[in-house]
Amino acid sequence: MKRFILFFIATSYAIFTLQAQQPQTYTLKSCLEYGLQNNYSLRITRNEEQVSKNNATLGNAGYLPTLDLSTGYTGTLDNTNAKVRSTGEHVKENGVFNQAMNASIGLDWTLFDGFNITTNYKKLQELKRQGETNTRIAIENLIADITAEYYNYVQQKIRLNNFRYAVSLSKERLRIVEERYHIGSFSRLDYQQAKVDFNADSAQYMKQQELLHTSRIRLNELMANKDVDRPIIIQDTLINVNATLSFKELLNRTMQTNASLIKAEQNNTLARLDYKKVISRDYPYLKLNSSYGYTLNKYETGTNIRRGDLGLDLGVTLGFNLFDGNRRRERRNARISIQNAHLEHEQLEQSLLADLNNLWQAYQNNLQLLNLERQNLVSAKENHEIAMERYMLGNLSGIEMREAQKSLLDAEERILSAEYDTKLCEISLLQISGEITKYAE
């Protein structure tokens, strides 16, 4: 019975381990959903956004009063020496112990401070909106990174299949050469060259396995999978590019919805609010101070043995800062900050326009290149088929056969690179125009 239990536990553990190691199938949308939910950097940014929301309150701005509860006790032990005015008699008392106890509730409220509180609240609200913008930027960056790496994995997988096909071609060529070498149709040089080509293709295939493995780890990392080396299966087998993008539409969307531009405008608003905070010190301030409490005093000498006071204290403070030595400097610096925020906005706008134009030009060129390479691939395949027929008939040398094979592989590599480069341009164009979230829809 004991052996059966141990066998059952070992079998269950093996089945669980095998299931845990089963590769999971992903689409681009599922990768994005998983990454947007679990990515550590994005979760940190979301927490920072929540902090900015928590800070945007009336109390943090200074609108609300402060209410304090306090209590205290004081005891004095004195030796007194007094002279009575009427009689001139000296009265001495030693060890006189007097006590005082109090408890009160105090209210302090700034009623007006030159619009500083109002400006503080507006600034906190703007920081809250900027926190939302930062989260949007982080989301768009993550979508772009995951999408680019997803198609990089597709690219590396297609390249691996191409190299596997190259190895199979070289293996078949080596088999043919070896057979004909043994019957004397081919020379030893032909056999050695075929063997060298086969080993070179095998080494390239092994190197490509490493690149595919690296891409898989990066994709798992972006999705925040606990096991970064987890096997995955990508559903897509081709890199499909969108050839219908419109430059005019991209330009309009960039100027209207680009998250970095929105953040730059928010920085401009914050700079103006900082200037208003400095200006607010030119106005007077009005504060309300009040307290309600009870005080008890105990005396060992004098007319009264004890005295208790219960009452309300109420006061209003009106003040005006005449000079603090820093106001003019801070005002000048605040004006400069406004100018810098405006210049940074214009600089960013110019930089985005330059990036958009460069990316659009690269996108257009890659589309044309992709069409050209697709035509070349058709010709390379036909050329390889003809070369293989002539090689099998013995009318083509091994070097010429290798050149035909290499031409086919190069054509496949060029079209694969063109597809991936076009996809990267597409991703960048959608990101810069604020449309990158379409991939997650």
Side-chain angles (χ1 to χ4, degrees), residues 341-362:
H342 181 69
L343 292 172
E344 287 172 359
H345 183 278
E346 291 187 343
Q347 182 185 32
L348 178 61
E349 187 174 300
Q350 185 183 54
S351 177
L352 289 174
L353 287 174
D355 291 342
L356 182 65
N357 280 276
N358 287 332
L359 287 170
W360 179 255
Q361 183 63 40

Short mmCIF file of all heavy atoms in Angstrom, two decimals, residues 341-362:
data_model
loop_
_atom_site.label_atom_id
_atom_site.label_comp_id
_atom_site.label_asym_id
_atom_site.label_seq_id
_atom_site.Cartn_x
_atom_site.Cartn_y
_atom_site.Cartn_z
N ALA A 341 9.09 75.92 -20.87
CA ALA A 341 8.03 74.94 -21.12
C ALA A 341 7.43 75.14 -22.51
O ALA A 341 7.14 74.17 -23.23
CB ALA A 341 6.95 75.05 -20.05
N HIS A 342 7.26 76.40 -22.90
CA HIS A 342 6.73 76.69 -24.24
C HIS A 342 7.71 76.27 -25.33
O HIS A 342 7.33 75.68 -26.35
CB HIS A 342 6.43 78.19 -24.34
CG HIS A 342 5.86 78.60 -25.67
ND1 HIS A 342 4.59 78.23 -26.09
CD2 HIS A 342 6.40 79.33 -26.69
CE1 HIS A 342 4.38 78.71 -27.30
NE2 HIS A 342 5.45 79.39 -27.69
N LEU A 343 9.00 76.56 -25.11
CA LEU A 343 10.02 76.18 -26.09
C LEU A 343 10.14 74.66 -26.20
O LEU A 343 10.32 74.11 -27.30
CB LEU A 343 11.37 76.79 -25.70
CG LEU A 343 11.48 78.32 -25.81
CD1 LEU A 343 12.80 78.80 -25.22
CD2 LEU A 343 11.34 78.75 -27.26
N GLU A 344 10.06 73.96 -25.06
CA GLU A 344 10.13 72.50 -25.09
C GLU A 344 8.95 71.91 -25.85
O GLU A 344 9.10 70.90 -26.55
CB GLU A 344 10.17 71.97 -23.65
CG GLU A 344 11.51 72.22 -22.95
CD GLU A 344 11.45 71.86 -21.48
OE1 GLU A 344 10.36 71.44 -21.01
OE2 GLU A 344 12.48 72.01 -20.80
N HIS A 345 7.77 72.54 -25.71
CA HIS A 345 6.61 72.07 -26.46
C HIS A 345 6.83 72.23 -27.96
O HIS A 345 6.54 71.31 -28.75
CB HIS A 345 5.37 72.86 -26.01
CG HIS A 345 4.10 72.41 -26.65
ND1 HIS A 345 3.71 72.83 -27.90
CD2 HIS A 345 3.12 71.56 -26.22
CE1 HIS A 345 2.56 72.27 -28.22
NE2 HIS A 345 2.17 71.50 -27.21
N GLU A 346 7.35 73.39 -28.36
CA GLU A 346 7.60 73.62 -29.79
C GLU A 346 8.70 72.70 -30.31
O GLU A 346 8.62 72.20 -31.44
CB GLU A 346 7.98 75.09 -30.01
CG GLU A 346 6.84 76.07 -29.79
CD GLU A 346 7.22 77.49 -30.17
OE1 GLU A 346 8.43 77.76 -30.30
OE2 GLU A 346 6.30 78.32 -30.35
N GLN A 347 9.74 72.50 -29.49
CA GLN A 347 10.82 71.60 -29.89
C GLN A 347 10.31 70.17 -30.08
O GLN A 347 10.67 69.49 -31.04
CB GLN A 347 11.93 71.63 -28.85
CG GLN A 347 13.14 70.76 -29.21
CD GLN A 347 14.17 70.73 -28.10
OE1 GLN A 347 13.83 70.84 -26.93
NE2 GLN A 347 15.43 70.62 -28.46
N LEU A 348 9.47 69.72 -29.15
CA LEU A 348 8.91 68.37 -29.25
C LEU A 348 8.02 68.25 -30.48
O LEU A 348 8.07 67.24 -31.18
CB LEU A 348 8.11 68.06 -27.99
CG LEU A 348 7.41 66.70 -27.96
CD1 LEU A 348 8.42 65.56 -28.07
CD2 LEU A 348 6.58 66.54 -26.68
N GLU A 349 7.24 69.28 -30.74
CA GLU A 349 6.38 69.27 -31.92
C GLU A 349 7.20 69.16 -33.20
O GLU A 349 6.86 68.37 -34.11
CB GLU A 349 5.53 70.54 -31.94
CG GLU A 349 4.47 70.56 -33.02
CD GLU A 349 3.58 71.78 -32.89
OE1 GLU A 349 2.92 71.91 -31.83
OE2 GLU A 349 3.55 72.60 -33.84
N GLN A 350 8.29 69.91 -33.27
CA GLN A 350 9.17 69.83 -34.44
C GLN A 350 9.82 68.46 -34.55
O GLN A 350 9.94 67.90 -35.65
CB GLN A 350 10.23 70.93 -34.35
CG GLN A 350 11.12 71.03 -35.59
CD GLN A 350 12.20 72.07 -35.43
OE1 GLN A 350 12.96 72.04 -34.47
NE2 GLN A 350 12.27 73.01 -36.37
N SER A 351 10.25 67.93 -33.42
CA SER A 351 10.89 66.60 -33.42
C SER A 351 9.91 65.51 -33.87
O SER A 351 10.28 64.61 -34.63
CB SER A 351 11.43 66.29 -32.02
OG SER A 351 11.98 65.00 -31.97
N LEU A 352 8.66 65.62 -33.43
CA LEU A 352 7.66 64.64 -33.83
C LEU A 352 7.38 64.73 -35.33
O LEU A 352 7.21 63.71 -36.00
CB LEU A 352 6.37 64.85 -33.04
CG LEU A 352 6.41 64.46 -31.56
CD1 LEU A 352 5.11 64.87 -30.86
CD2 LEU A 352 6.64 62.97 -31.40
N LEU A 353 7.33 65.95 -35.85
CA LEU A 353 7.12 66.12 -37.29
C LEU A 353 8.28 65.52 -38.09
O LEU A 353 8.07 64.88 -39.13
CB LEU A 353 6.96 67.60 -37.62
CG LEU A 353 5.64 68.25 -37.20
CD1 LEU A 353 5.68 69.75 -37.45
CD2 LEU A 353 4.47 67.61 -37.93
N ALA A 354 9.52 65.73 -37.59
CA ALA A 354 10.68 65.17 -38.27
C ALA A 354 10.63 63.63 -38.23
O ALA A 354 10.87 62.96 -39.25
CB ALA A 354 11.96 65.68 -37.63
N ASP A 355 10.31 63.08 -37.06
CA ASP A 355 10.23 61.62 -36.94
C ASP A 355 9.12 61.06 -37.82
O ASP A 355 9.29 60.01 -38.45
CB ASP A 355 9.98 61.24 -35.48
CG ASP A 355 11.18 61.51 -34.59
OD1 ASP A 355 12.29 61.66 -35.13
OD2 ASP A 355 11.00 61.58 -33.36
N LEU A 356 7.99 61.76 -37.85
CA LEU A 356 6.87 61.29 -38.66
C LEU A 356 7.23 61.25 -40.14
O LEU A 356 6.95 60.27 -40.84
CB LEU A 356 5.66 62.19 -38.42
CG LEU A 356 4.38 61.80 -39.17
CD1 LEU A 356 3.86 60.46 -38.69
CD2 LEU A 356 3.30 62.87 -39.00
N ASN A 357 7.88 62.31 -40.61
CA ASN A 357 8.27 62.35 -42.03
C ASN A 357 9.32 61.29 -42.35
O ASN A 357 9.25 60.64 -43.42
CB ASN A 357 8.80 63.74 -42.38
CG ASN A 357 7.70 64.75 -42.64
OD1 ASN A 357 7.16 64.84 -43.73
ND2 ASN A 357 7.33 65.51 -41.60
N ASN A 358 10.29 61.11 -41.47
CA ASN A 358 11.31 60.08 -41.69
C ASN A 358 10.71 58.69 -41.70
O ASN A 358 11.03 57.85 -42.56
CB ASN A 358 12.40 60.18 -40.63
CG ASN A 358 13.30 61.38 -40.82
OD1 ASN A 358 13.50 61.85 -41.94
ND2 ASN A 358 13.85 61.89 -39.73
N LEU A 359 9.83 58.43 -40.74
CA LEU A 359 9.19 57.11 -40.67
C LEU A 359 8.30 56.86 -41.88
O LEU A 359 8.24 55.74 -42.39
CB LEU A 359 8.38 57.00 -39.37
CG LEU A 359 9.18 56.86 -38.08
CD1 LEU A 359 8.28 57.02 -36.86
CD2 LEU A 359 9.87 55.49 -38.03
N TRP A 360 7.59 57.91 -42.32
CA TRP A 360 6.72 57.74 -43.49
C TRP A 360 7.54 57.43 -44.74
O TRP A 360 7.15 56.58 -45.55
CB TRP A 360 5.88 59.00 -43.70
CG TRP A 360 4.99 58.90 -44.88
CD1 TRP A 360 5.14 59.51 -46.09
CD2 TRP A 360 3.79 58.13 -44.98
NE1 TRP A 360 4.12 59.18 -46.94
CE2 TRP A 360 3.26 58.32 -46.29
CE3 TRP A 360 3.10 57.30 -44.10
CZ2 TRP A 360 2.10 57.72 -46.71
CZ3 TRP A 360 1.93 56.69 -44.53
CH2 TRP A 360 1.45 56.89 -45.83
N GLN A 361 8.67 58.12 -44.89
CA GLN A 361 9.53 57.85 -46.05
C GLN A 361 10.06 56.42 -46.00
O GLN A 361 10.07 55.71 -47.03
CB GLN A 361 10.69 58.85 -46.07
CG GLN A 361 11.60 58.72 -47.27
CD GLN A 361 10.89 59.01 -48.58
OE1 GLN A 361 10.08 59.93 -48.67
NE2 GLN A 361 11.18 58.23 -49.61
N ALA A 362 10.51 55.99 -44.81
CA ALA A 362 11.00 54.61 -44.68
C ALA A 362 9.88 53.61 -44.92
O ALA A 362 10.09 52.55 -45.55
CB ALA A 362 11.59 54.43 -43.28
#
